[in-house]
Amino acid sequence: MFPARVVAGAPLALVILALSGCSSHWGCTDTTAERGEAGVGVRIEDASGRPLGVTAEVVDWRLEPHPQVPSEGDQVHFRFRFDGADETSGPAVDACAVDKERVALGCRTVYSYQAFGPNGDLTGDDWLAVEHPDRVAGVLLIPNDQSYVGRTCEQDIKDGGGPHPPQPAGPGDRL
């Protein structure tokens, strides 16, 4: 049998293991946010759905060949603006070229740090390559902040979990 000291110390050892996070994944839960309503201008929200006090908008867009790969034909060149964002570590949103039925033809994540300008004017531009540029009817932004996804419980049972943004939008998604 076990000595009395070992038996008496067993509950304390179990408490220490439980508090250190080594015993189980009891406290680790993941939640994925619902995708917000896409628009030309959006109020950016965190993974819990709370507004960040930052807005983003598509200033304009046009079809034209990309200067570095003109042989690939027309692509979507769009300009965007972030208001209320920190220039170095602000939020990010998905930008999608859509057809007239708001079906995504191509998407990419744009970050507020890509936007810069004089007097705090946080304006930037980017390109979207789409298979059928003639079907593009507009460029929309999705309000969910994509700047930090965080680790999931599956990746890190001790420090993972919590709210996560929705999966980034992609071709074929209806916005």
Side-chain angles (χ1 to χ4, degrees):
M1 295 310 283
F2 294 108
R5 277 190 301 193
V6 171
V7 173
L12 179 60
L14 289 174
V15 168
I16 291 172
L17 282 174
L19 291 176
S20 70
C22 297
S23 64
S24 175
H25 66 278
W26 293 337
C28 192
T29 57
D30 288 312
T31 57
T32 302
E34 292 289 322
R35 186 176 290 156
E37 179 72 25
V40 173
V42 296
R43 291 182 185 268
I44 301 173
E45 55 191 44
D46 68 13
S48 299
R50 290 186 301 260
L52 296 177
V54 178
T55 59
E57 77 174 295
V58 175
V59 176
D60 66 17
W61 68 273
R62 62 189 169 278
L63 294 174
E64 62 186 5
H66 191 289
Q68 293 177 338
V69 284
S71 62
E72 292 182 8
D74 283 345
Q75 295 183 22
V76 181
H77 184 202
F78 67 101
R79 289 183 349 129
F80 55 91
R81 179 175 54 235
F82 283 86
D83 289 319
D86 179 335
E87 292 180 21
T88 58
S89 61
V93 294
D94 287 335
C96 297
V98 297
D99 67 13
K100 63 183 177 180
E101 295 170 2
R102 296 175 60 114
V103 173
L105 302 171
C107 299
R108 76 174 324 116
T109 302
V110 292
Y111 295 82
S112 62
Y113 66 75
Q114 291 174 272
F116 53 88
N119 305 320
D121 178 23
L122 296 180
T123 304
D125 72 309
D126 212 331
W127 295 81
L128 290 163
V130 297
E131 191 171 333
H132 300 286
D134 56 312
R135 292 178 38 203
V136 176
V139 176
L140 300 178
L141 302 175
I142 301 172
N144 307 95
D145 180 18
Q146 294 285 344
S147 63
Y148 178 74
V149 176
R151 299 187 59 77
T152 64
C153 293
E154 186 176 291
Q155 293 167 323
D156 187 344
I157 204 150
K158 182 177 175 221
D159 297 322
H164 301 284
Q167 287 292 328
D173 288 352
R174 184 175 300 277
L175 306 177

